[in-house]
Amino acid sequence: MKHLKRILRILVLGICLGLFLGFLRSKLQIESGVFMTWYWITAGVILIGLVLFNTVYIGRYVKKMQEAAVLLEAGEPKAYIKAVEKLRGQARGRFLKNLFQLNLSAGYCDLKQYAKAISILEPLSPAHLRGDMRVVHRLNLCICYFYSGQASKAMQLYEASEAVFLPYRDRQPYGGNLAVLDMLAALERREYAAAGAMLAEAREKWDSPRLAEDYAYIEECLEEAGR
């Protein structure tokens, strides 16, 4: 429905532009060939202008989101959530709305408010997410399911997302979180030796303060399993 509305708006804009230029041609008695040349030039300039405006507009908010992310890395999830909520309220367009929804869920994950994070993530349509946004959506949702005791949902989504996660496993900023997810899945499968080996490797490879608590939790689970 949203796509249809967008197409209709573009069509209406095109018709209005055509009628306006046709009116000018009639009033100014412009030759057909000259008119069509200027018509396509005008249409091209308008299209390029819209694309540039959209690119600059999105880039501006992405930069602001990166600035807000510093708060999360500094261990201030409440301040981070407040900043992201403000950006979400100001921004327009589905891409930015989805971007801020995903980043907002990360703040609630850090506060261990997993039910809240899930309520933000589940309504997002996977069909409207591409690239990094698709990975973050599935990653955050899997981890929230695990930590909220919904292991069955977590495993189902985790196993269905292997191809999505694969290109990001050895890359910042997702590699460490994916390693945590792999360990949680191994624990659920009772593959304790594999989880222990993954933990040792992750601590050397992904030395991030934000992952320390996850590592401690997994280590505690391994110790309990070994008793």
Side-chain angles (χ1 to χ4, degrees), residues 84-123:
V84 177
E85 286 281 20
K86 182 179 179 181
L87 291 173
R88 186 175 65 160
Q90 295 172 342
R92 296 292 178 268
R94 184 170 59 200
F95 173 83
L96 288 174
K97 292 290 186 183
N98 288 345
L99 176 67
F100 294 136
Q101 288 283 93
L102 290 172
N103 283 280
L104 196 59
S105 72
Y108 285 108
C109 284
D110 276 27
L111 288 175
K112 297 184 175 57
Q113 295 182 21
Y114 301 115
K116 176 68 175 177
I118 289 170
S119 73
I120 292 171
L121 291 165
E122 283 187 335

mmCIF file of all heavy atoms in Angstrom, residues 84-123:
data_model
loop_
_atom_site.group_PDB
_atom_site.id
_atom_site.type_symbol
_atom_site.label_atom_id
_atom_site.label_comp_id
_atom_site.label_asym_id
_atom_site.label_seq_id
_atom_site.Cartn_x
_atom_site.Cartn_y
_atom_site.Cartn_z
ATOM 1 N N VAL A 84 18.323 8.592 20.711
ATOM 2 C CA VAL A 84 17.760 7.902 19.548
ATOM 3 C C VAL A 84 16.266 8.198 19.418
ATOM 4 O O VAL A 84 15.746 8.384 18.311
ATOM 5 C CB VAL A 84 18.005 6.382 19.630
ATOM 6 C CG1 VAL A 84 17.345 5.668 18.450
ATOM 7 C CG2 VAL A 84 19.500 6.086 19.627
ATOM 8 N N GLU A 85 15.563 8.245 20.542
ATOM 9 C CA GLU A 85 14.134 8.578 20.523
ATOM 10 C C GLU A 85 13.917 9.968 19.915
ATOM 11 O O GLU A 85 12.981 10.189 19.152
ATOM 12 C CB GLU A 85 13.554 8.529 21.929
ATOM 13 C CG GLU A 85 13.345 7.136 22.489
ATOM 14 C CD GLU A 85 12.083 6.474 21.951
ATOM 15 O OE1 GLU A 85 11.572 6.895 20.903
ATOM 16 O OE2 GLU A 85 11.619 5.513 22.594
ATOM 17 N N LYS A 86 14.783 10.890 20.266
ATOM 18 C CA LYS A 86 14.682 12.249 19.732
ATOM 19 C C LYS A 86 14.884 12.242 18.217
ATOM 20 O O LYS A 86 14.126 12.890 17.471
ATOM 21 C CB LYS A 86 15.720 13.153 20.398
ATOM 22 C CG LYS A 86 15.657 14.605 19.940
ATOM 23 C CD LYS A 86 16.687 15.459 20.662
ATOM 24 C CE LYS A 86 16.636 16.907 20.172
ATOM 25 N NZ LYS A 86 17.657 17.754 20.855
ATOM 26 N N LEU A 87 15.888 11.521 17.756
ATOM 27 C CA LEU A 87 16.153 11.426 16.323
ATOM 28 C C LEU A 87 14.994 10.748 15.595
ATOM 29 O O LEU A 87 14.590 11.183 14.510
ATOM 30 C CB LEU A 87 17.444 10.641 16.070
ATOM 31 C CG LEU A 87 18.746 11.312 16.501
ATOM 32 C CD1 LEU A 87 19.918 10.348 16.357
ATOM 33 C CD2 LEU A 87 19.000 12.573 15.690
ATOM 34 N N ARG A 88 14.453 9.709 16.210
ATOM 35 C CA ARG A 88 13.336 8.993 15.590
ATOM 36 C C ARG A 88 12.116 9.897 15.437
ATOM 37 O O ARG A 88 11.384 9.811 14.449
ATOM 38 C CB ARG A 88 12.972 7.757 16.414
ATOM 39 C CG ARG A 88 11.921 6.881 15.760
ATOM 40 C CD ARG A 88 11.661 5.611 16.519
ATOM 41 N NE ARG A 88 11.081 5.846 17.822
ATOM 42 C CZ ARG A 88 10.423 4.921 18.506
ATOM 43 N NH1 ARG A 88 10.291 3.695 18.012
ATOM 44 N NH2 ARG A 88 9.920 5.183 19.701
ATOM 45 N N GLY A 89 11.907 10.765 16.412
ATOM 46 C CA GLY A 89 10.786 11.686 16.355
ATOM 47 C C GLY A 89 10.948 12.764 15.298
ATOM 48 O O GLY A 89 9.955 13.289 14.775
ATOM 49 N N GLN A 90 12.186 13.084 14.965
ATOM 50 C CA GLN A 90 12.459 14.160 13.997
ATOM 51 C C GLN A 90 12.511 13.653 12.560
ATOM 52 O O GLN A 90 12.134 14.374 11.637
ATOM 53 C CB GLN A 90 13.800 14.826 14.331
ATOM 54 C CG GLN A 90 13.827 15.557 15.663
ATOM 55 C CD GLN A 90 15.232 16.022 16.027
ATOM 56 O OE1 GLN A 90 16.220 15.539 15.475
ATOM 57 N NE2 GLN A 90 15.322 16.956 16.959
ATOM 58 N N ALA A 91 13.001 12.440 12.383
ATOM 59 C CA ALA A 91 13.272 11.929 11.035
ATOM 60 C C ALA A 91 11.997 11.569 10.277
ATOM 61 O O ALA A 91 10.971 11.253 10.871
ATOM 62 C CB ALA A 91 14.178 10.706 11.118
ATOM 63 N N ARG A 92 12.094 11.607 8.957
ATOM 64 C CA ARG A 92 10.995 11.230 8.079
ATOM 65 C C ARG A 92 11.501 10.162 7.108
ATOM 66 O O ARG A 92 12.647 10.162 6.706
ATOM 67 C CB ARG A 92 10.491 12.444 7.290
ATOM 68 C CG ARG A 92 9.881 13.530 8.161
ATOM 69 C CD ARG A 92 8.569 13.075 8.788
ATOM 70 N NE ARG A 92 8.001 14.107 9.662
ATOM 71 C CZ ARG A 92 8.245 14.187 10.960
ATOM 72 N NH1 ARG A 92 9.054 13.302 11.539
ATOM 73 N NH2 ARG A 92 7.694 15.141 11.682
ATOM 74 N N GLY A 93 10.612 9.264 6.754
ATOM 75 C CA GLY A 93 10.975 8.226 5.792
ATOM 76 C C GLY A 93 11.156 6.879 6.463
ATOM 77 O O GLY A 93 11.646 6.784 7.590
ATOM 78 N N ARG A 94 10.753 5.822 5.750
ATOM 79 C CA ARG A 94 10.782 4.475 6.324
ATOM 80 C C ARG A 94 12.202 4.002 6.632
ATOM 81 O O ARG A 94 12.436 3.347 7.657
ATOM 82 C CB ARG A 94 10.106 3.485 5.369
ATOM 83 C CG ARG A 94 9.999 2.061 5.933
ATOM 84 C CD ARG A 94 9.117 1.199 5.067
ATOM 85 N NE ARG A 94 9.638 1.117 3.718
ATOM 86 C CZ ARG A 94 8.887 0.761 2.678
ATOM 87 N NH1 ARG A 94 7.611 0.511 2.838
ATOM 88 N NH2 ARG A 94 9.428 0.676 1.472
ATOM 89 N N PHE A 95 13.152 4.322 5.747
ATOM 90 C CA PHE A 95 14.525 3.867 5.983
ATOM 91 C C PHE A 95 15.044 4.358 7.324
ATOM 92 O O PHE A 95 15.585 3.585 8.123
ATOM 93 C CB PHE A 95 15.440 4.347 4.852
ATOM 94 C CG PHE A 95 16.900 4.054 5.105
ATOM 95 C CD1 PHE A 95 17.433 2.818 4.808
ATOM 96 C CD2 PHE A 95 17.734 5.021 5.673
ATOM 97 C CE1 PHE A 95 18.779 2.544 5.056
ATOM 98 C CE2 PHE A 95 19.073 4.748 5.916
ATOM 99 C CZ PHE A 95 19.595 3.507 5.606
ATOM 100 N N LEU A 96 14.906 5.656 7.591
ATOM 101 C CA LEU A 96 15.403 6.227 8.846
ATOM 102 C C LEU A 96 14.605 5.723 10.035
ATOM 103 O O LEU A 96 15.178 5.461 11.098
ATOM 104 C CB LEU A 96 15.369 7.749 8.781
ATOM 105 C CG LEU A 96 16.413 8.403 7.868
ATOM 106 C CD1 LEU A 96 16.193 9.899 7.777
ATOM 107 C CD2 LEU A 96 17.833 8.110 8.362
ATOM 108 N N LYS A 97 13.297 5.586 9.894
ATOM 109 C CA LYS A 97 12.476 5.068 10.986
ATOM 110 C C LYS A 97 12.937 3.667 11.372
ATOM 111 O O LYS A 97 13.086 3.345 12.557
ATOM 112 C CB LYS A 97 11.000 5.046 10.580
ATOM 113 C CG LYS A 97 10.364 6.413 10.391
ATOM 114 C CD LYS A 97 10.182 7.146 11.710
ATOM 115 C CE LYS A 97 9.422 8.448 11.515
ATOM 116 N NZ LYS A 97 9.291 9.222 12.778
ATOM 117 N N ASN A 98 13.177 2.820 10.378
ATOM 118 C CA ASN A 98 13.649 1.460 10.641
ATOM 119 C C ASN A 98 15.038 1.471 11.280
ATOM 120 O O ASN A 98 15.332 0.694 12.194
ATOM 121 C CB ASN A 98 13.690 0.648 9.348
ATOM 122 C CG ASN A 98 12.309 0.280 8.849
ATOM 123 O OD1 ASN A 98 11.322 0.371 9.582
ATOM 124 N ND2 ASN A 98 12.213 -0.139 7.604
ATOM 125 N N LEU A 99 15.906 2.361 10.777
ATOM 126 C CA LEU A 99 17.262 2.475 11.323
ATOM 127 C C LEU A 99 17.224 2.809 12.813
ATOM 128 O O LEU A 99 17.922 2.184 13.618
ATOM 129 C CB LEU A 99 18.030 3.553 10.563
ATOM 130 C CG LEU A 99 19.443 3.878 11.075
ATOM 131 C CD1 LEU A 99 20.377 2.695 10.860
ATOM 132 C CD2 LEU A 99 19.992 5.118 10.396
ATOM 133 N N PHE A 100 16.393 3.774 13.176
ATOM 134 C CA PHE A 100 16.324 4.185 14.579
ATOM 135 C C PHE A 100 15.629 3.132 15.447
ATOM 136 O O PHE A 100 15.973 2.969 16.616
ATOM 137 C CB PHE A 100 15.637 5.541 14.696
ATOM 138 C CG PHE A 100 16.426 6.665 14.069
ATOM 139 C CD1 PHE A 100 15.809 7.617 13.270
ATOM 140 C CD2 PHE A 100 17.791 6.753 14.244
ATOM 141 C CE1 PHE A 100 16.544 8.639 12.677
ATOM 142 C CE2 PHE A 100 18.536 7.766 13.657
ATOM 143 C CZ PHE A 100 17.912 8.704 12.873
ATOM 144 N N GLN A 101 14.677 2.407 14.875
ATOM 145 C CA GLN A 101 14.039 1.314 15.621
ATOM 146 C C GLN A 101 15.081 0.253 15.991
ATOM 147 O O GLN A 101 15.137 -0.218 17.129
ATOM 148 C CB GLN A 101 12.944 0.666 14.777
ATOM 149 C CG GLN A 101 11.696 1.505 14.585
ATOM 150 C CD GLN A 101 10.789 1.506 15.809
ATOM 151 O OE1 GLN A 101 10.885 2.389 16.665
ATOM 152 N NE2 GLN A 101 9.930 0.538 15.887
ATOM 153 N N LEU A 102 15.889 -0.116 15.014
ATOM 154 C CA LEU A 102 16.922 -1.132 15.249
ATOM 155 C C LEU A 102 17.921 -0.673 16.301
ATOM 156 O O LEU A 102 18.277 -1.434 17.217
ATOM 157 C CB LEU A 102 17.659 -1.436 13.940
ATOM 158 C CG LEU A 102 16.875 -2.195 12.875
ATOM 159 C CD1 LEU A 102 17.662 -2.237 11.575
ATOM 160 C CD2 LEU A 102 16.559 -3.601 13.337
ATOM 161 N N ASN A 103 18.371 0.559 16.178
ATOM 162 C CA ASN A 103 19.348 1.068 17.137
ATOM 163 C C ASN A 103 18.737 1.270 18.524
ATOM 164 O O ASN A 103 19.429 1.119 19.538
ATOM 165 C CB ASN A 103 19.941 2.380 16.614
ATOM 166 C CG ASN A 103 20.980 2.140 15.531
ATOM 167 O OD1 ASN A 103 22.126 1.806 15.801
ATOM 168 N ND2 ASN A 103 20.578 2.289 14.285
ATOM 169 N N LEU A 104 17.473 1.585 18.576
ATOM 170 C CA LEU A 104 16.786 1.731 19.857
ATOM 171 C C LEU A 104 16.745 0.397 20.597
ATOM 172 O O LEU A 104 16.936 0.336 21.815
ATOM 173 C CB LEU A 104 15.364 2.238 19.609
ATOM 174 C CG LEU A 104 14.591 2.804 20.799
ATOM 175 C CD1 LEU A 104 15.323 3.981 21.424
ATOM 176 C CD2 LEU A 104 13.193 3.231 20.353
ATOM 177 N N SER A 105 16.545 -0.672 19.862
ATOM 178 C CA SER A 105 16.495 -1.999 20.491
ATOM 179 C C SER A 105 17.811 -2.340 21.181
ATOM 180 O O SER A 105 17.825 -3.008 22.220
ATOM 181 C CB SER A 105 16.147 -3.070 19.451
ATOM 182 O OG SER A 105 17.232 -3.306 18.573
ATOM 183 N N ALA A 106 18.932 -1.862 20.614
ATOM 184 C CA ALA A 106 20.244 -2.136 21.223
ATOM 185 C C ALA A 106 20.351 -1.499 22.603
ATOM 186 O O ALA A 106 20.940 -2.077 23.522
ATOM 187 C CB ALA A 106 21.352 -1.613 20.314
ATOM 188 N N GLY A 107 19.771 -0.322 22.767
ATOM 189 C CA GLY A 107 19.787 0.340 24.070
ATOM 190 C C GLY A 107 19.021 -0.447 25.117
ATOM 191 O O GLY A 107 19.484 -0.615 26.253
ATOM 192 N N TYR A 108 17.866 -0.966 24.739
ATOM 193 C CA TYR A 108 17.066 -1.754 25.683
ATOM 194 C C TYR A 108 17.716 -3.104 25.973
ATOM 195 O O TYR A 108 17.571 -3.641 27.078
ATOM 196 C CB TYR A 108 15.644 -1.926 25.153
ATOM 197 C CG TYR A 108 14.831 -0.659 25.285
ATOM 198 C CD1 TYR A 108 14.490 0.099 24.167
ATOM 199 C CD2 TYR A 108 14.419 -0.199 26.533
ATOM 200 C CE1 TYR A 108 13.771 1.278 24.282
ATOM 201 C CE2 TYR A 108 13.702 0.980 26.662
ATOM 202 C CZ TYR A 108 13.375 1.714 25.532
ATOM 203 O OH TYR A 108 12.666 2.882 25.663
ATOM 204 N N CYS A 109 18.445 -3.640 24.995
ATOM 205 C CA CYS A 109 19.215 -4.874 25.247
ATOM 206 C C CYS A 109 20.262 -4.629 26.328
ATOM 207 O O CYS A 109 20.445 -5.453 27.227
ATOM 208 C CB CYS A 109 19.897 -5.350 23.971
ATOM 209 S SG CYS A 109 18.810 -6.141 22.782
ATOM 210 N N ASP A 110 20.954 -3.490 26.243
ATOM 211 C CA ASP A 110 21.972 -3.168 27.240
ATOM 212 C C ASP A 110 21.372 -2.967 28.624
ATOM 213 O O ASP A 110 22.037 -3.204 29.638
ATOM 214 C CB ASP A 110 22.745 -1.909 26.814
ATOM 215 C CG ASP A 110 23.876 -2.227 25.856
ATOM 216 O OD1 ASP A 110 23.764 -3.242 25.138
ATOM 217 O OD2 ASP A 110 24.866 -1.480 25.811
ATOM 218 N N LEU A 111 20.119 -2.526 28.677
ATOM 219 C CA LEU A 111 19.422 -2.359 29.961
ATOM 220 C C LEU A 111 18.787 -3.671 30.431
ATOM 221 O O LEU A 111 18.144 -3.707 31.488
ATOM 222 C CB LEU A 111 18.328 -1.294 29.830
ATOM 223 C CG LEU A 111 18.790 0.160 29.697
ATOM 224 C CD1 LEU A 111 17.590 1.070 29.459
ATOM 225 C CD2 LEU A 111 19.548 0.606 30.954
ATOM 226 N N LYS A 112 18.944 -4.720 29.608
ATOM 227 C CA LYS A 112 18.349 -6.039 29.887
ATOM 228 C C LYS A 112 16.826 -6.012 29.859
ATOM 229 O O LYS A 112 16.169 -6.872 30.438
ATOM 230 C CB LYS A 112 18.856 -6.604 31.225
ATOM 231 C CG LYS A 112 20.351 -6.857 31.253
ATOM 232 C CD LYS A 112 20.764 -7.503 32.571
ATOM 233 C CE LYS A 112 22.234 -7.869 32.550
ATOM 234 N NZ LYS A 112 23.119 -6.728 32.271
ATOM 235 N N GLN A 113 16.293 -5.035 29.175
ATOM 236 C CA GLN A 113 14.837 -4.963 28.980
ATOM 237 C C GLN A 113 14.500 -5.660 27.653
ATOM 238 O O GLN A 113 14.131 -5.040 26.657
ATOM 239 C CB GLN A 113 14.368 -3.515 28.987
ATOM 240 C CG GLN A 113 14.570 -2.819 30.319
ATOM 241 C CD GLN A 113 14.060 -1.389 30.329
ATOM 242 O OE1 GLN A 113 13.230 -1.004 29.520
ATOM 243 N NE2 GLN A 113 14.575 -0.592 31.267
ATOM 244 N N TYR A 114 14.655 -6.985 27.680
ATOM 245 C CA TYR A 114 14.564 -7.755 26.443
ATOM 246 C C TYR A 114 13.151 -7.775 25.859
ATOM 247 O O TYR A 114 12.987 -7.759 24.641
ATOM 248 C CB TYR A 114 15.070 -9.173 26.690
ATOM 249 C CG TYR A 114 16.499 -9.196 27.175
ATOM 250 C CD1 TYR A 114 16.820 -9.655 28.453
ATOM 251 C CD2 TYR A 114 17.537 -8.724 26.372
ATOM 252 C CE1 TYR A 114 18.124 -9.648 28.914
ATOM 253 C CE2 TYR A 114 18.851 -8.715 26.812
ATOM 254 C CZ TYR A 114 19.138 -9.178 28.095
ATOM 255 O OH TYR A 114 20.432 -9.170 28.545
ATOM 256 N N ALA A 115 12.150 -7.808 26.716
ATOM 257 C CA ALA A 115 10.769 -7.796 26.222
ATOM 258 C C ALA A 115 10.486 -6.504 25.462
ATOM 259 O O ALA A 115 9.817 -6.513 24.422
ATOM 260 C CB ALA A 115 9.787 -7.956 27.382
ATOM 261 N N LYS A 116 11.006 -5.394 25.982
ATOM 262 C CA LYS A 116 10.833 -4.104 25.314
ATOM 263 C C LYS A 116 11.547 -4.111 23.969
ATOM 264 O O LYS A 116 10.993 -3.637 22.955
ATOM 265 C CB LYS A 116 11.382 -2.982 26.199
ATOM 266 C CG LYS A 116 11.340 -1.585 25.582
ATOM 267 C CD LYS A 116 9.921 -1.087 25.410
ATOM 268 C CE LYS A 116 9.892 0.340 24.918
ATOM 269 N NZ LYS A 116 8.512 0.820 24.682
ATOM 270 N N ALA A 117 12.764 -4.628 23.947
ATOM 271 C CA ALA A 117 13.523 -4.691 22.691
ATOM 272 C C ALA A 117 12.795 -5.557 21.662
ATOM 273 O O ALA A 117 12.708 -5.201 20.477
ATOM 274 C CB ALA A 117 14.922 -5.234 22.944
ATOM 275 N N ILE A 118 12.253 -6.681 22.109
ATOM 276 C CA ILE A 118 11.524 -7.578 21.209
ATOM 277 C C ILE A 118 10.287 -6.884 20.643
ATOM 278 O O ILE A 118 9.960 -7.022 19.456
ATOM 279 C CB ILE A 118 11.131 -8.878 21.939
ATOM 280 C CG1 ILE A 118 12.390 -9.727 22.195
ATOM 281 C CG2 ILE A 118 10.119 -9.685 21.120
ATOM 282 C CD1 ILE A 118 12.167 -10.907 23.123
ATOM 283 N N SER A 119 9.600 -6.121 21.481
ATOM 284 C CA SER A 119 8.394 -5.416 21.028
ATOM 285 C C SER A 119 8.723 -4.356 19.974
ATOM 286 O O SER A 119 7.861 -3.969 19.181
ATOM 287 C CB SER A 119 7.680 -4.762 22.217
ATOM 288 O OG SER A 119 8.394 -3.618 22.688
ATOM 289 N N ILE A 120 9.958 -3.882 19.957
ATOM 290 C CA ILE A 120 10.412 -2.925 18.942
ATOM 291 C C ILE A 120 10.819 -3.651 17.663
ATOM 292 O O ILE A 120 10.530 -3.197 16.548
ATOM 293 C CB ILE A 120 11.601 -2.099 19.472
ATOM 294 C CG1 ILE A 120 11.146 -1.176 20.611
ATOM 295 C CG2 ILE A 120 12.257 -1.285 18.359
ATOM 296 C CD1 ILE A 120 12.280 -0.493 21.336
ATOM 297 N N LEU A 121 11.470 -4.801 17.820
ATOM 298 C CA LEU A 121 12.031 -5.514 16.676
ATOM 299 C C LEU A 121 11.002 -6.332 15.890
ATOM 300 O O LEU A 121 11.032 -6.350 14.660
ATOM 301 C CB LEU A 121 13.144 -6.450 17.154
ATOM 302 C CG LEU A 121 14.414 -5.772 17.668
ATOM 303 C CD1 LEU A 121 15.276 -6.765 18.438
ATOM 304 C CD2 LEU A 121 15.196 -5.161 16.522
ATOM 305 N N GLU A 122 10.108 -6.995 16.590
ATOM 306 C CA GLU A 122 9.187 -7.902 15.904
ATOM 307 C C GLU A 122 8.285 -7.223 14.871
ATOM 308 O O GLU A 122 8.024 -7.806 13.807
ATOM 309 C CB GLU A 122 8.341 -8.666 16.925
ATOM 310 C CG GLU A 122 9.096 -9.791 17.601
ATOM 311 C CD GLU A 122 8.239 -10.657 18.487
ATOM 312 O OE1 GLU A 122 7.188 -10.157 18.976
ATOM 313 O OE2 GLU A 122 8.611 -11.826 18.725
ATOM 314 N N PRO A 123 7.789 -6.004 15.123
ATOM 315 C CA PRO A 123 6.921 -5.379 14.116
ATOM 316 C C PRO A 123 7.632 -4.950 12.831
ATOM 317 O O PRO A 123 6.973 -4.668 11.831
ATOM 318 C CB PRO A 123 6.364 -4.139 14.851
ATOM 319 C CG PRO A 123 6.544 -4.423 16.301
ATOM 320 C CD PRO A 123 7.804 -5.222 16.370
#
